[in-house]
């Protein structure tokens, strides 16, 4: 007796969250059944392995049929074939677009191209995530990228509108898309200690402050706006950053800056002497990062540079985070007292974001 | 008189890409009704075209309005080659023809293609202007309402229940026409879909005419089926119950059901008569074996071997109307109906209803059934091959002769069966048959026709013309005690049609009752039941030799009585094992295949307080000297006794007075034993005299004389009860559960198994079949475990044998959750209330016999679970129909609907929820309007089976699509649910070698508008809460 055909169709489509997770994680039906057996479900329900097999097959078939719709979530809402309560639809979409931390760290900042897709095998072996799941996550990134790439307006809003993701997940995708578009290097060994959350945090700050859309000069003059609003860094801004060079090139200005900071922080900083000794190096590092951003190559190395030029020196001197915060605040603010420096707004736009990023990046 | 049909094509969405080069589609629409076709403009290069067409107007006869479907075809315009069809939508405009039903059909319909499935959606608006028609000779029957529901629909009351209406129409099957050799599968499928749609419309119109002749205005319990007879044609037949219904308009009628306490929950103690002794001293047991009065075997052989000429001699007993519609003019039809209608009604006092207004059902005799084996015409001529590449050969028929005599033949066949049913009912002292249904099973050229129902005595006051004999009046004068009257025997005790064991009713102690009662109806509202009920199934397979034509029919005829007997035995054994004494909703299905017969009986077992406590089951061995054997027997006996005791506990069967006795001694004294002969070598000539009474009441003995018998006993014990928190029944509602909450899940499950062809024995076959059904049930329990505590209601199994070694089982049912705690609290109150209620009901009944308020039907057993209802309804976000419709209209495309970032994105869904249920009601809600009947037929075919996920993927997608199309039609009518939904046919054929499969599905139901009871109470205050749905919760990044 062999089962030729075995199906269950509900008027309301049944979604088993556990099986959905197994499916998303890329397990085969056989593996999924084995995992479910191990979870003790047979004992809880008194079912047999055959029942479990049939149930798993059924759910997998349903998910497979739903997958086409999940590629364009608004379709899932408007389609008539599967009657799914809104809360369940949201769950399906949200889980489908969720990704693994380990995976996203591997591809963050990489070009979402065929070449990278070929590397998925290695990523799968390295992370222990099934190849199938890697593919889904990669394809999700790529799909979202493709859809929002050419769009104007807020990146997060665009992602949310077209993929109906939660605010949180839409922000993450915005970060992924932003990183992929600007190709920030995140894979270097010295960046390994950073989590996706760290990068996403920085991405959000940069999108808010450093892109075209950030300035608020929005679509007043649509003809001149060739570039995307949120995806690309504001070229003009990057160009202007060269002006900051004076802060370290002009020795008087640098000394004055240093004395202002030191005076303000004396007695408040545990690592005052180290700061005093390192001030010029740190300041040079931070300003040089700014002035180099006109080159694509240097933009990509932004995070490497920040870690090399700032995070690592401070860390080797064992600065506590509170001291780093105090220093950065004072370092940014003191520039306003430098009479010879005319680019206060530019400095704030640069340093405001950088300060936020550095504080986030500063941990073990 | 003409009517005007107006159609507007608004827009399309999600169309498939038809032009690979541009990834777009140049879509336009053809709107066809009858022979008139209109076209929209081409909307170029879009997958979401906005046609916004003018109103296309068709001026047509109302006869055509009833018969013809509106046919909408979406095409892709192609300048250089033929336009490609994207898909079609068939819209049955019948619901627009009743005054009280829908006024407009408007909404998104899935565009369906028989090869590709659903391909996008189209927004259509349809209206009908109908002129009043006073022509007496008219052929149309606009205005007659049809209901699939087998009880008086909820917002109506029955003024008169007229009786049985039937009709059938026959046509050639397009798939077997010569042209099928040269046309595409798509064209063939569409021809078939269209033809069946046309035939259904014609059939409904003709039935409507009969109803008008009877001065009724509605058909309730309308059941339409089609028989695919292969080369001998396509039969569409329907039966129903003609009624005159009145719409209930007073608001009082819509009071939440909690005000009318459910009556089936009565656990009435036996107050009136504390004398317990009758138990053992009654006369010998009757079991309504006559209920199982199958046709004598002689008659089988005669019928099966009968030729056409033989049949044409069969008197037509006034049923030959099927043919008249085609050949005869209106005048002739009228004449015929005038002369025959009155007679006909008396000829077959059948009712397709399964639940009745209080007081309608006086006594129930038992199940009556009849089967007959027929040979479909076969003319030996050159052959052609069907599209599925079957090796069977088909021939060209002479359609002229075919059309002229086919309907009479089929009518005569059914007339014969109905006559038999009627005579069986008479033998039981009953003048009517309720819960009546008909079915067929066809394999090649052999066809088994079956009919069954429940013999009953009805209260003549509800029937128009008092066909009932005068003696009945006497009975009616007696003040029938509530809750047991229907159990009292209708036949004469001294002149019983079969040996039976009667006792005085355990409830009233005045009338005689049998010890076991089998019926095909739902549990009457006022029945007193102890404990809960459960689904009981008997499953049976019998091998048969492959044979041709008459030899085959004879072989089947000879097997049938044995099958019926064994199915009955199994039912009886299982009933006893459950400690119950009555079956409701009994449905026995016999399916014929090439080399086997399958029998599947489903029913809901209950313990009726009025009937005596069932005895246990005693096992007797044949070789008493063998010690180990004896030990084995006693071991089994113990197991059986344990099972009975366990079941009694499980189903809460504690008859008040005699409970100790039951548990203490399931096996009564030996002197009461009598042997049951169950040997298969029994002479088959005696079949008609088969004693199905199984001896005396307390002495149910299973004699184990061979391994088969042993296995049977084993299989009895292997039926696993549902896991705790689960109940199941095949009736509308579960006896003993009355606190349903509003969560429902209707589903269809299909399984096909392939038998290993080697060495198939009856025994192995039985085991396979049994496992198939049991595993299927287990799977259902597992899948629906999140709904616990819940009950599977209206569990409907259908068995078919699509090929030699394939068995297909299709199950449709609904899972309904209930509130466990509330049951405990309310039980007591209900008992008291129901006692009072019962007596008042009776008084009312005598005073106003015609005030049949459907509201007190069994289907409203919902105590006020307000918090529950409210939370549930807001969770599921069910919008009232109107709301759903307006939402749809205001956001036609949904683009730009998701601007609002802070709102949860998914709350913007524009698709209204449509509930589907095989029941006649929606738990926790009131049906406020019936919008018309849904009767849809679909064919799906594929030539890329593997690519579509194999047979499972193919059928899964198809059934989901069928559900979607039903829902879309209901939503377009302005409804939000389908009740009395039934999948009448699911014919699946595959040819894996050719990578092909084909499936035909026929579904029907009643489209309705319902409102939550909680909403009804606070109509205005409840605003749509959809906008504040909690945002998606699963937003965490997985780690």
């Amino acid at each position: 007796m062999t089962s030729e055909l075995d199906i269950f169709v509900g008027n309301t489509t049944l979604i088993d969250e556990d099986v959905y997770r197994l499916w998303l994680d890329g397990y085969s039906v056989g593996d999924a059944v084995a995992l479910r057996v191990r979870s003790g479900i047979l004992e809880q329900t008194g079912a047999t392995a055959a029942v479990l097999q049939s149930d798993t097959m059924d759910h997998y078939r349903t998910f497979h049929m739903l997958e086409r719709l999940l590629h364009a979530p608004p379709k899932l809402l408007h389609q008539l074939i599967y009657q799914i309560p809104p809360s369940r639809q949201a769950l399906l979409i949200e889980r489908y677009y969720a990704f693994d931390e380990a995976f996203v760290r591997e591809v963050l900042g990489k070009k979402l191209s065929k070449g990278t897709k070929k590397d998925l095998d290695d990523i799968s072996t390295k992370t222990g995530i099934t190849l199938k799941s890697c593919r889904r996550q990669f394809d999700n990134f790529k799909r979202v990228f493709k859809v929002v790439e050419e769009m104007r307006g807020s990146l997060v809003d665009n992602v949310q509108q077209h993929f109906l993701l939660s605010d949180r997940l839409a922000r993450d995708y915005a970060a992924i898309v932003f990183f992929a578009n600007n190709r920030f290097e995140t894979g270097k060994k010295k960046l390994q200690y950073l989590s996706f959350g760290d990068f996403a945090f920085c991405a959000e700050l940069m999108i808010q402050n450093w892109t075209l859309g950030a300035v608020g000069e929005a679509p007043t003059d649509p003809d001149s706006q060739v570039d995307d609003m949120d995806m690309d860094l504001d070229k003009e801004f990057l160009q202007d950053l060269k002006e900051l060079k004076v802060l370290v090139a002009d020795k008087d200005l640098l000394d004055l800056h240093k004395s202002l900071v030191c005076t303000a922080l004396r007695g408040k900083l545990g690592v005052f002497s180290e700061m005093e000794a390192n001030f010029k190096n740190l300041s040079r590092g931070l300003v040089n990062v700014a002035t180099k951003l006109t080159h694509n190559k240097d933009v990509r190395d932004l995070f490497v540079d920040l870690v090399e030029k700032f995070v690592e020196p401070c860390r080797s001197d064992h600065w506590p985070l509170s001291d780093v915060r105090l220093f950065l605040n004072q370092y940014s603010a003191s520039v306003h007292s430098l009479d010879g420096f005319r680019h206060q707004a530019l400095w704030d736009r640069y340093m405001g974001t950088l300060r936020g990023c550095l504080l986030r990046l500063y941990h073990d | 008189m003409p009517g005007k049909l107006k159609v507007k094509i608004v827009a399309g969405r999600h169309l498939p890409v038809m032009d690979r080069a541009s990834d777009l589609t140049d879509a336009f629409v053809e709107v066809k009704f009858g022979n008139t076709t209109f076209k929209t403009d081409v909307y170029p290069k879009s997958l979401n075209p906005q046609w916004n067409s003018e109103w296309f107007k068709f001026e047509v006869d109302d006869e055509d309005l009833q018969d013809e479907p509106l046919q909408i075809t979406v095409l892709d315009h192609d300048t250089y080659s033929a336009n490609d069809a994207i898909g079609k939508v068939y819209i049955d405009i019948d619901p627009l023809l009743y005054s009280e039903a829908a006024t407009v059909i408007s909404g998104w319909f899935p565009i369906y293609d028989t090869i590709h499935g659903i391909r996008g959606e189209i927004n259509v608006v349809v209206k009908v202007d109908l002129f009043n028609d006073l022509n007496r000779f008219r052929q149309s029957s606009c205005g007659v309402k049809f209901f699939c529901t087998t009880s008086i629909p909820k917002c109506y009351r029955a003024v008169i229940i007229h009786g049985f209406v039937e009709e059938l129409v026959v046509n050639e099957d397009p798939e077997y026409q010569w042209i099928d050799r040269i046309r595409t599968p798509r064209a063939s499928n569409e021809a078939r879909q269209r033809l069946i749609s046309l035939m259904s419309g014609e059939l409904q119109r003709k039935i409507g005419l009969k109803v008008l002749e009877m001065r009724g205005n509605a058909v309730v319990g309308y059941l339409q089926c089609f028989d695919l007879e292969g080369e001998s044609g396509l039969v569409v037949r329907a039966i129903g119950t003609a009624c005159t219904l009145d719409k209930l308009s007073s608001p009082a009628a819509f009071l939440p059901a909690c005000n009318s306490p459910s009556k089936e929950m009565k656990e009435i103690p036996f107050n009136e008569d504390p004398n317990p002794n009758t138990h053992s001293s009654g006369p010998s047991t009757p079991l309504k074996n006559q209920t199982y009065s199958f046709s004598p075997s002689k008659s089988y052989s005669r019928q099966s071997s009968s030729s056409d000429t033989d049949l044409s001699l069969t008197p037509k007993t006034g049923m030959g109307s099927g043919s008249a519609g085609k050949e005869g003019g209106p005048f002739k039809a009228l004449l015929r109906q005038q002369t025959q209608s009155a007679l006909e009604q008396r000829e077959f006092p059948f009712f397709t209803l399964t639940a009745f207004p209080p007081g309608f059902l006086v006594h129930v005799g038992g199940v009556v059934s009849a089967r007959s084996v027929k040979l479909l015409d076969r003319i030996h001529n050159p052959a052609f091959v069907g599209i599925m590449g079957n090796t069977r050969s088909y021939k060209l028929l002479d359609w002229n002769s075919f059309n002229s005599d086919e309907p009479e033949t089929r009518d005569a066949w059914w007339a014969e069966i109905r006559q038999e049913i009627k005579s069986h009912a008479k033998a039981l002292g009953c003048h009517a048959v309720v819960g009546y249904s008909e079915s067929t099973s066809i394999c090649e050229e052999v066809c088994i026709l079956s009919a069954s129902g429940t013999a009953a005595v009805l209260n003549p006051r509800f029937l128009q013309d008092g066909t009932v004999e005068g003696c009945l009046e006497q009975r009616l004068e007696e003040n029938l005690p509530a809750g047991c009257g229907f159990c009292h025997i209708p036949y004469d005790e001294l002149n019983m049609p079969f040996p039976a064991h009667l006792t005085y009713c355990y409830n009233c102690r005045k009338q005689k009752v049998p010890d076991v009662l089998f019926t095909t109806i739902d549990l009457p509202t006022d029945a007193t039941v102890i404990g809960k009920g459960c689904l009981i199934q008997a499953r049976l397979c019998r091998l048969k030799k492959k044979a041709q034509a008459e030899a085959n029919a004879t072989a089947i005829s000879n097997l049938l009585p044995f099958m019926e007997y064994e199915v009955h035995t199994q039912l009886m054994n299982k009933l006893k094992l459950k400690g119950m004494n009555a079956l409701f909703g009994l449905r026995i299905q016999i399916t014929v295949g090439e080399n086997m017969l399958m029998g599947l009986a489903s029913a809901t077992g209950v313990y009726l307080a009025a009937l005596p406590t069932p005895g246990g089951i005693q096992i007797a061995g044949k070789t008493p000297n063998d010690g180990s054997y004896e030990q084995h027997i006693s071991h089994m006996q113990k197991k059986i006794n344990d099972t009975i005791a366990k079941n009694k506990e499980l189903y809460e069967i504690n008859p008040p007075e005699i409970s100790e006795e039951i548990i203490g001694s399931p096996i009564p004294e030996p002197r009461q034993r009598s042997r049951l002969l169950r040997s298969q070598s029994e002479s088959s000539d005696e079949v008609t005299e088969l004693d199905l009474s199984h001896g005396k009441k307390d002495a149910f003995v299973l004699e184990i004389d061979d391994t088969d018998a042993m296995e049977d006993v084993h299989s009895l014990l292997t039926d696993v009860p549902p896991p705790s928190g689960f109940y199941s029944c095949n009736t509308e509602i579960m006896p003993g559960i009355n606190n349903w909450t509003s969560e429902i899940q209707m589903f269809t499950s299909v399984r096909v198994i392939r038998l290993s062809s080697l060495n198939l024995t009856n025994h192995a076959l039985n085991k396979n079949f049994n496992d198939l059904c049991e595993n299927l049930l287990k799977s259902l329990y597992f899948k629906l475990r999140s709904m616990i505590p819940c009950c599977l209601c209206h569990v409907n199994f259908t068995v078919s044998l699509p090929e030699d070694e394939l068995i297909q089982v299709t199950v449709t049912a609904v899972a309904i959750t209930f509130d466990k705690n509330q049951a405990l609290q309310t039980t007591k109150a209900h008992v008291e209330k129901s006692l009072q209620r019962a007596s008042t009901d009776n008084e009312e009944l005598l005073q106003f016999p015609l005030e049949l308020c459907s509201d007190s039907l069994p289907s409203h057993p919902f105590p006020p679970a307000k918090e529950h209802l409210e939370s549930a309804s807001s969770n599921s976000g069910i919008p009232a129909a109107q709301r759903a419709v307006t939402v749809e209209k205001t956001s036609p495309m949904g683009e730009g609907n998701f601007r609002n970032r802070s709102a949860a994105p998914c709350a913007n869904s524009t698709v209204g929820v449509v509930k589907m249920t095989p029941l006649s009601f929606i738990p926790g809600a009131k049906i406020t309007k019936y919008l018309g009947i849904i009767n849809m037929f679909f064919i799906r075919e594929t030539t890329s089976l593997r690519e579509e996920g194999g047979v499972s993927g193919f059928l899964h997608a198809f059934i989901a699509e069928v559900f979607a199309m039903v829902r879309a039609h209901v939503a377009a009518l302005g409804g939000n649910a389908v009740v009395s939904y039934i999948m009448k046919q699911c014919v699946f054929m595959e040819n894996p070698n050719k990578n092909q499969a084909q499936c035909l599905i026929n579904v029907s139901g009643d489209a309705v508008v319902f409102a939550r009871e909680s909403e009804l109470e606070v109509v205005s205050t409840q605003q749509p809460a959809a906008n504040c749905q909690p945002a998606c919760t699963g937003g965490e990044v997985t780690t």
Side-chain angles (χ1 to χ4, degrees), chain B residues 51 73 422 453 553 605 668 710 841 861 949 1035:
Chain B
W51 291 289
T73 313
K422 195 182 164 192
M710 189 68 103
D841 267 5

Side-chain angles (χ1 to χ4, degrees), chain B residues 652-688:
Chain B
E652 297 158 29
I653 300 170
N654 312 302
E657 309 146 48
I658 33 180
S659 56
E660 276 176 26
E661 197 183 332
I662 295 161
I663 295 161
S665 64
I667 310 304
E669 305 86 72
R671 69 173 168 81
Q672 284 181 318
R673 288 183 199 169
S674 76
R675 294 263 147 134
L676 162 73
L677 300 169
R678 64 166 308 286
S679 146
Q680 280 169 334
S681 55
E682 203 64 19
S683 143
S684 59
D685 295 334
E686 300 296 295
V687 176
T688 36

Side-chain angles (χ1 to χ4, degrees), chain A residues 86-99:
Chain A
S87 62
R88 288 266 140 174
Q89 287 179 343
L91 178 126
L92 282 173
I93 296 167
E94 195 74 5
R95 292 261 175 91
Y96 189 78
Y97 282 91
F99 47 82

Side-chain angles (χ1 to χ4, degrees), chain A residues 2 4-7 9 11-12 16 54-55 58 61 78 80-81 83 94 99 157 160-161 171-172, chain B residues 13 745-746 748-752 754 783 785 898 901 910 914 916 956 964 967 990 1034-1035 1037-1038:
Chain A
T2 50
E4 285 270 303
L5 184 158
D6 178 4
I7 57 161
V9 191
N11 182 37
T12 303
D16 185 307
S54 140
D55 180 66
D58 231 24
R61 208 180 307 115
H78 290 283
L80 303 175
I81 301 180
Q83 184 158 275
E94 195 74 5
F99 47 82
D157 284 357
Q160 206 169 37
Q161 266 173 42
R171 282 167 199 278
D172 286 347
Chain B
R13 68 181 181 194
Q745 167 70 291
M746 189 281 297
T748 292
S749 186
V750 185
R751 277 198 188 183
V752 177
R754 185 175 290 279
K783 279 206 172 289
R785 66 193 184 283
F898 310 103
R901 180 163 152 186
T910 57
V914 175
M916 292 168 75
H956 190 148
R967 288 194 303 257
E990 57 169 322
V1037 178
T1038 50

Side-chain angles (χ1 to χ4, degrees), chain B residues 343-361:
Chain B
L343 181 80
E344 266 177 26
Q345 204 189 334
R346 254 163 244 184
E347 204 70 44
F348 298 112
F350 296 169
F351 299 85
T352 54
L353 303 179
T354 58
F356 311 92
F360 184 72
L361 198 62

Side-chain angles (χ1 to χ4, degrees), chain B residues 921-934:
Chain B
F921 65 97
I922 309 259
K926 271 282 175 204
I927 293 171
T928 53
K929 195 174 181 187
Y930 280 80
L931 299 168
I933 202 169
I934 296 279

Side-chain angles (χ1 to χ4, degrees), chain B residues 119-134:
Chain B
R119 306 170 96 189
E121 289 122 37
I122 184 169
N123 195 323
V124 181
V125 185
V126 185
K127 288 180 179 172
V128 172
D129 290 338
L130 203 59
F131 307 112
N132 248 346
D133 184 6
L134 300 172

